[in-house]
Amino acid sequence: MSSDDIARDLAARIRAGEYPPGTQLPPYRVLAELYNVSLTTVAKVMTLLRERGVVVGVAGRGTFVPER
């Protein structure tokens, strides 16, 4: 799976309500295991999703679905 594929899948899960607004996404390690990819790939995915406004990163806390 490519970074774009994973980003699309996570964005779809967020839209479907699997991760509602305010929810923290799983840690990078868990996502890497879930998608069977490296931590580097997960980091690229999170960068893509942040740039698209799908998620927000909170320093020292994690990655969250923004409140709308």
Side-chain angles (χ1 to χ4, degrees):
M1 246 185 168
S2 73
S3 298
D4 286 326
D5 293 334
I6 297 168
R8 276 192 294 277
D9 183 65
L10 280 172
R13 290 176 182 226
I14 290 167
R15 282 192 306 275
E18 186 173 335
Y19 299 110
T23 301
Q24 183 175 9
L25 293 182
Y28 283 26
R29 176 186 49 76
V30 173
L31 291 172
E33 290 173 8
L34 176 67
Y35 289 103
N36 197 31
V37 296
S38 69
L39 291 173
T40 302
T41 299
V42 173
K44 289 178 186 176
V45 168
M46 291 303 142
T47 297
L48 287 171
L49 292 176
R50 279 194 304 275
E51 288 172 352
R52 296 173 185 170
V54 177
V55 299
V56 293
V58 179
R61 295 208 45 232
T63 306
F64 294 81
V65 178
E67 299 283 348
R68 298 278 178 201

